[in-house]
Amino acid sequence: MKSRFLSIILLVVGFGEGFAQKAKQADLGYRSAKILKVAGLDFKDLNKNGKLDKYEDWRLPVEVRAKDLLTQMTLEEKIGFMIISTTRLAGDNSFQAGAPRAEISSGFNEEDLMQPINMFTRKPLAVQMMSAAGTTKGVTNFHLRHFILRANTNAKTLAEWSNNLQALCESSRLGIPAVVASNPRNHITVDAAIGLSVGTTVFSRWPGELGMAAMRDLKLTREFAEIAAKEWSSVGLRKGYMYMADLATEPRWQRIEGTFGEDADLASNMIREIVLGFQGAKLNKNSVAMTTKHFPGGGPQVGGQDSHFDWGKYAHYPGGMFDYHVKPFIAAINAGTSAIMPYYSAPKDKTMEEVGFSYNKAIIQDLLRKKLGFKGIINSDTGPIDMMPWGVESLTIVQRYQKALDAGVDIFSGGADPALLLETVKSGLVNESRIDESVNRLLREKFELGLFENPFVDAEVAVKTVGNAEFQKKADVAFRKSIVLLRNDGQLLPLTQKKKVYFETYYERGGPPNGQAPNPVSVNIPKENKWNVEFVTSKEEADVILVWLIPTGGGLFSSQGKAIDLSLSKNKINVSHVNELINAKPTIVVVNYTNPWVIDEIDKGNTRTILATFGTTQDAVLDVVTGKFNPSGKMPFSTPVSQKVAEENKSDVPGFMEPNYALFKFGDGLNYK
């Protein structure tokens, strides 16, 4: 009785008036949990012991709740908490190459997905890995509570599945809810491979990340993030594996499409608005927690090759600009990003240990933790333990876990089976106190997101929220603002007189089906003509030709390690066809940039009108071309004048700092005066 009385006194003294304010009933969501009535308030009995534990008491500070729950968790539960793996819905065949298409539903996929091959390097794995566990097994046997959702389906299915998952978690011993993460779902992108972007979805559709940077509109960027956060949280997605703070300084790097360009100041501003828009000033029950990536900057890759592959394992800094690449991460930290993800790359630099950044103590502990003061979660990228152990290939799996934990990683992405991480601790290679540090950080995020109070969503609200017309109206403005007018010699634009326009999109999507090369040309005749022009079906009929080129290197995961050429002809554009158009009639050339393409094969003095897009719509292009929208976008990176200068460029130096480098410079962009 005495100790209980003392506890009450301490609570009153500790909280004072603030405690009284916090005593307003929290909004609780539950399925099987019993409700405890204490002092006229409701609490969930998550551990089913019939009394109110500190971690169940939403009046208490996060620190107190996390510490209490940590003391109740077994080692096995803690270890499962430090794994984040792909989760799949019923009918969802993510990562299963060649699997038949199936209808995705809100049920669980109970199949373990075993992987004998490294999905990136396409070489056999030394130890077969489980990349996804059957859902019930993952939650109940492996104690997994962090998941990455890859499925692309409708809002109602996503919301209902999320509720099913949270109900399963609630029924477990301690009732700990799940956090479900995703890669970006709101952008038009050319490379929508798993792990990069989900591509076109039912969510509101916005320009690609480069296009958002091209807008130079920080207010609209914040609005985008706030809108996307509402959409995501409505279906139960509470964590983003995004956004990329990496800089596009190496023009050949195969992931530039997901960056905000080459300028550290612009990228810093964009990342700040994104983090604050998704999370708010601090994490709360409406937030989507951000995982800013890929520390300390994945841009300066040797030869532009990506470190998903052994032929691209090294980052280097020939221009001595390492700090320049860290700058956007400082902005993310200052904005309160919940997590940071190190990249796979090993630094080719004598001042640093030549091991992948997830293993690099100088990078994570000395720089990120101590110097930059980051106190959040360190989330490994997918697979550095099993698939991309650059610099530590000779270590066993448990030794790799030991080294990564020593470096400071809190949660491991990729595999779903925690057995070897558990063995790392049980064998004495890592102390349980080190595990407690990471689990405490992960618990804090869940408490701050309000998931212990209500992890459930309303599927009907989700349907009304996701992709609604008001959200898309804002995004449609962004599409237009993202377009850059680069050249308008002879003032062909805007097309203000009623002209006959032949509008062609040139996009070779992939390999030929059944040995027959697909026709990459689409002739665009809008169903509803909202413009003061007449669309015709051939160039011969036209007064003006409008050709929209969408070059592609085939996507990141088609890489074979060959030298990367940014010329249009090496990126699925038939330059002879394009030159034929340019020489036939006055031609408006629109180039969709996912990398800083080299356009010298068509730019031979006759290409007088050029625009740049970064993932936009046909209507937006036509609005700009016809003058319904005055172009305002600015280039987010410099484009090399030739392949030669691209190869000679210092990988860590932005193009606008390189002499005699740019055809179009960072910040270029015209308008109609």
Side-chain angles (χ1 to χ4, degrees):
M1 187 70 181
K2 184 177 179 182
S3 82
R4 185 179 175 191
F5 181 72
L6 181 60
S7 297
I8 292 170
I9 291 175
L10 288 173
L11 280 173
V12 172
V13 171
F15 293 107
E17 293 178 359
F19 179 76
Q21 291 172 0
K22 291 184 180 180
K24 182 181 178 182
Q25 177 62 55
D27 176 29
L28 303 182
Y30 52 93
R31 294 296 185 268
S32 61
K34 297 286 190 279
I35 295 300
L36 300 169
K37 294 276 188 183
V38 178
L41 299 170
D42 291 347
F43 303 87
K44 291 195 287 185
D45 185 14
L46 292 171
N47 64 1
K48 297 94 177 160
N49 67 354
K51 65 178 184 179
L52 181 61
D53 292 82
K54 289 180 182 177
Y55 86 91
E56 299 164 338
D57 189 343
W58 42 260
R59 299 170 298 179
L60 296 176
V62 164
E63 294 83 356
V64 174
R65 300 179 72 187
K67 184 178 179 181
D68 177 59
L69 180 50
L70 191 58
T71 65
Q72 298 193 38
M73 295 173 74
T74 65
L75 178 60
E76 287 75 12
E77 286 166 336
K78 293 174 186 177
I79 293 298
F81 215 67
M82 294 176 65
I83 299 288
I84 180 167
S85 68
T86 294
T87 188
R88 304 187 299 164
L89 284 67
D92 173 13
N93 295 319
S94 297
F95 286 123
Q96 283 183 262
R101 291 186 65 84
E103 184 177 349
I104 295 175
S105 71
S106 58
F108 296 148
N109 187 326
E110 300 291 20
E111 182 182 357
D112 294 341
L113 182 57
M114 302 306 297
Q115 191 175 314
I117 302 292
N118 184 328
M119 73 179 85
F120 304 118
T121 64
R122 297 174 285 278
K123 296 177 180 177
L125 289 167
V127 179
Q128 180 176 244
M129 67 178 286
M130 182 188 294
S131 54
T135 305
T136 302
K137 175 180 176 179
V139 170
T140 59
N141 293 15
F142 291 164
H143 311 292
L144 305 181
R145 291 297 184 277
H146 297 86
F147 299 99
I148 312 164
L149 187 67
R150 316 284 188 182
N152 187 353
T153 187
N154 62 74
K156 190 170 189 286
T157 298
L158 290 174
E160 289 176 345
W161 170 84
S162 175
N163 285 342
N164 290 337
L165 175 67
Q166 297 294 3
L168 176 63
C169 293
E170 183 180 274
S171 70
S172 66
R173 188 179 77 88
L174 294 171
I176 301 173
V179 164
V180 182
S182 173
N183 290 109
R185 288 178 176 259
N186 291 81
H187 304 283
I188 291 180
T189 178
V190 173
D191 192 358
I194 282 183
L196 304 183
S197 170
V198 184
T200 301
T201 67
V202 294
F203 293 75
S204 59
R205 296 168 69 236
W206 293 73
E209 290 91 328
L210 288 168
M212 298 198 72
M215 294 189 314
R216 299 298 201 277
D217 188 332
L218 297 179
K219 181 175 181 291
L220 187 53
T221 299
R222 175 78 72 93
E223 286 183 282
F224 151 71
E226 291 170 346
I227 285 169
K230 289 174 184 173
E231 293 181 295
W232 283 49
S233 59
S234 77
V235 299
L237 290 171
R238 301 299 305 278
K239 192 175 184 71
Y241 257 19
M242 57 202 190
Y243 275 80
M244 288 171 60
D246 311 283
L247 298 176
T249 55
E250 167 49 78
R252 295 167 293 177
W253 188 37
Q254 296 157 298
R255 299 194 67 176
I256 283 179
E257 186 179 23
T259 74
F260 294 114
E262 71 180 13
D263 180 68
D265 291 326
L266 175 60
S268 296
N269 289 334
M270 294 295 291
I271 285 289
R272 181 188 68 246
E273 299 306 317
I274 291 282
V275 171
L276 290 173
F278 271 98
Q279 294 191 170
K282 62 179 183 177
L283 286 185
N284 61 78
K285 66 180 182 179
N286 299 313
S287 298
V288 174
M290 290 286 97
T291 305
T292 305
K293 55 188 191 180
H294 304 87
F295 194 77
Q301 291 295 122
V302 175
Q305 302 290 349
D306 189 76
S307 56
H308 274 87
F309 311 102
D310 50 0
W311 53 77
K313 65 177 70 172
Y314 293 114
H316 66 155
Y317 307 92
M321 295 192 69
F322 177 88
D323 290 345
Y324 187 76
H325 289 261
V326 173
K327 195 171 185 179
F329 293 93
I330 296 173
I333 293 167
N334 290 340
T337 189
S338 186
I340 286 179
M341 178 183 289
Y343 210 29
Y344 306 114
S345 315
K348 210 168 184 58
D349 188 313
K350 292 179 181 177
T351 66
M352 289 180 268
E353 187 183 6
E354 206 169 280
V355 295
F357 289 125
S358 284
Y359 298 100
N360 204 305
K361 196 169 186 178
I363 292 297
I364 296 177
Q365 290 289 2
D366 297 344
L367 176 59
L368 184 53
R369 289 283 191 216
K370 294 176 184 174
K371 185 175 179 181
L372 302 184
F374 180 61
K375 293 181 172 57
I377 296 162
I378 306 294
N379 192 136
S380 88
D381 210 332
T382 299
I385 299 294
D386 304 270
M387 293 185 288
M388 285 78 81
W390 309 142
V392 296
E393 291 91 338
S394 63
L395 299 183
T396 65
I397 298 291
V398 293
Q399 288 171 333
R400 292 173 193 171
Y401 273 124
Q402 178 193 29
K403 188 169 179 63
L405 287 164
D406 187 49
V409 172
D410 294 310
I411 185 167
F412 294 90
S413 179
D417 186 349
L420 292 175
L421 178 54
L422 182 61
E423 182 184 326
T424 307
V425 183
K426 285 190 169 182
S427 65
L429 291 174
V430 173
N431 292 326
E432 189 169 352
S433 60
R434 168 65 189 87
I435 299 302
D436 288 350
E437 289 177 24
S438 292
V439 175
N440 184 61
R441 291 189 186 102
L442 296 164
L443 284 171
R444 286 171 60 95
E445 181 184 67
K446 274 191 172 66
F447 281 115
E448 288 167 352
L449 289 171
L451 289 167
F452 280 88
E453 279 60 72
N454 188 7
F456 297 99
V457 296
D458 185 326
E460 297 307 317
V461 170
V463 171
K464 293 174 184 176
T465 302
V466 170
N468 73 56
E470 285 303 308
F471 291 169
Q472 193 55 53
K473 190 175 178 182
K474 292 273 189 184
D476 289 343
V477 173
F479 281 137
R480 287 149 181 80
K481 285 194 162 194
S482 72
I483 296 171
V484 182
L485 177 61
L486 290 171
R487 189 181 292 168
N488 193 22
D489 297 349
Q491 302 297 304
L492 179 58
L493 296 180
L495 298 179
T496 53
Q497 300 176 353
K498 191 168 182 71
K499 292 184 181 288
K500 294 180 178 179
V501 175
Y502 172 66
F503 182 13
E504 179 179 297
T505 299
Y506 191 103
Y507 178 29
E508 187 176 320
R509 282 173 168 76
N514 303 319
Q516 298 295 317
N519 185 0
V521 172
S522 301
V523 179
N524 303 314
I525 307 289
K527 290 180 181 177
E528 181 186 356
N529 190 346
K530 299 175 283 187
W531 303 273
N532 187 35
V533 297
E534 178 186 347
F535 294 97
V536 296
T537 57
S538 69
K539 65 179 184 295
E540 288 76 18
E541 301 172 74
D543 300 316
V544 174
I545 294 171
L546 171 59
V547 58
W548 191 6
L549 306 179
I550 305 178
T552 173
L556 171 64
F557 298 128
S558 67
S559 173
Q560 300 292 332
K562 297 176 182 176
I564 298 168
D565 194 319
L566 297 174
S567 302
L568 293 179
S569 64
K570 301 296 185 183
N571 291 278
K572 304 193 179 201
I573 298 294
N574 183 334
V575 295
S576 296
H577 171 77
V578 178
N579 282 324
E580 184 183 330
L581 296 176
I582 291 170
N583 291 322
K585 296 283 175 73
T587 301
I588 304 157
V589 176
V590 185
V591 181
N592 191 72
Y593 285 91
T594 54
N595 276 80
W597 306 119
V598 174
I599 67 167
D600 58 354
E601 293 164 305
I602 64 168
D603 189 30
K604 300 179 183 297
N606 296 326
T607 316
R608 303 178 67 188
T609 310
I610 302 175
L611 296 99
T613 63
F614 308 90
T616 189
T617 63
Q618 178 179 288
D619 280 10
V621 170
L622 289 170
D623 274 3
V624 169
V625 165
T626 59
K628 287 182 74 172
F629 190 92
N630 192 356
S632 58
K634 305 296 180 186
M635 287 299 284
F637 51 50
S638 304
T639 66
V641 70
S642 67
Q643 176 64 20
K644 182 175 184 290
V645 303
E647 292 170 355
E648 293 172 350
N649 158 71
K650 296 183 186 71
S651 293
D652 58 331
V653 178
F656 68 83
M657 291 186 182
E658 296 275 21
N660 306 313
Y661 173 84
L663 174 66
F664 301 119
K665 295 188 292 294
F666 168 82
D668 278 358
L670 307 172
N671 55 32
Y672 305 141
K673 296 177 181 177

